[in-house]
C-alpha cells in the first residue's frame, strides 16, 4: 500500500506501540518510548515488555518497528490487531516486511519517530 498519511499526521495520532528493546536505556526503542510518553502519547511496548502485538491493551494507531527485521516480520505475521500505520525505523526494514505490509494493505512509512517528535510536537 502506498503511503497516504503524511508524517505530520502520524504524529497527531494517539496510541503508539514501540516494538523493540524498551528496557535498555541505550537502545533507540527505549529513547523513543520515553520521548513519546513525555509528550503525552499512549504507549505500550512489545519485545522486552509485552511478548506479542496481540497483548496490547488498546487499538493501535501507530506500530513503530525498532527491532531486528527478522523478529519484526515474525511479530507482524502473528498480529491479529488492526493497525492504522507502521513506522519502520532505519535498520528495521526488510524486503519481507515491505512485501508483507503491501500484501495485507497495511500503510507504512520509513521514518524516525524521534525526528517526528522534534519536528511536529
Amino acid at each position: 500500500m502506498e503511503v497516504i498519511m503524511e508524517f505530520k499526521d502520524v504524529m497527531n495520532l494517539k496510541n503508539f506501540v514501540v516494538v523493540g528493546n524498551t528496557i535498555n536505556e541505550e537502545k533507540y526503542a527505549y529513547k523513543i518510548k520515553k520521548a513519546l510518553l513525555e509528550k503525552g502519547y499512549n504507549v505500550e511496548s512489545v519485545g522486552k515488555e509485552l511478548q506479542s502485538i496481540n497483548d496490547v491493551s488498546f487499538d493501535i494507531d501507530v506500530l513503530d518497528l525498532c527491532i531486528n527485521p527478522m523478529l519484526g516480520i515474525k511479530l507482524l505475521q502473528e498480529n491479529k490487531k488492526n493497525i492504522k500505520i507502521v513506522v519502520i525505523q532505519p535498520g528495521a526494514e526488510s524486503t519481507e516486511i515491505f512485501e508483507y505490509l503491501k500484501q495485507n494493505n497495511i500503510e507504512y512509512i520509513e521514518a524516525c519517530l524521534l525526528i517526528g517528535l522534534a519536528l511536529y510536537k
Side-chain angles (χ1 to χ4, degrees):
M1 176 175 222
E2 69 182 83
V3 177
I4 298 167
M5 193 177 300
E6 297 288 329
F7 196 24
K8 176 173 58 172
D9 298 326
V10 171
M11 300 313 301
N12 284 326
L13 296 171
K14 179 183 175 195
N15 297 317
F16 282 67
V17 175
V18 178
V19 180
N21 185 343
T22 54
I23 303 294
N24 182 338
E25 293 182 14
E26 295 183 14
K27 298 289 186 177
Y28 275 102
Y30 173 90
K31 294 173 184 177
I32 291 164
K33 179 183 178 186
K34 183 176 185 271
L36 287 167
L37 287 169
E38 287 172 354
K39 296 286 186 175
Y41 290 93
N42 189 25
V43 185
E44 286 192 6
S45 307
V46 173
K48 296 290 184 181
E49 294 179 60
L50 298 174
Q51 296 303 306
S52 169
I53 298 166
N54 297 315
D55 295 336
V56 173
S57 66
F58 51 73
D59 292 334
I60 301 169
D61 293 329
V62 181
L63 182 80
D64 180 47
L65 291 179
C66 193
I67 195 167
N68 179 299
M70 291 174 58
L71 297 172
I73 189 65
K74 181 177 178 276
L75 289 166
L76 284 169
Q77 290 168 338
E78 295 170 352
N79 174 52
K80 293 176 177 39
K81 288 185 154 282
N82 288 326
I83 299 168
K84 286 187 183 171
I85 189 164
V86 175
V87 173
I88 305 170
Q89 297 281 147
E93 73 281 347
S94 73
T95 302
E96 193 175 8
I97 288 174
F98 294 139
E99 288 174 4
Y100 177 84
L101 295 172
K102 288 175 188 171
Q103 289 170 358
N104 290 279
N105 292 317
I106 301 170
E107 192 171 348
Y108 68 89
I109 186 169
E110 294 181 71
C112 176
L113 287 183
L114 292 175
I115 292 173
L117 287 167
L119 290 174
Y120 304 115
K121 287 292 168 192

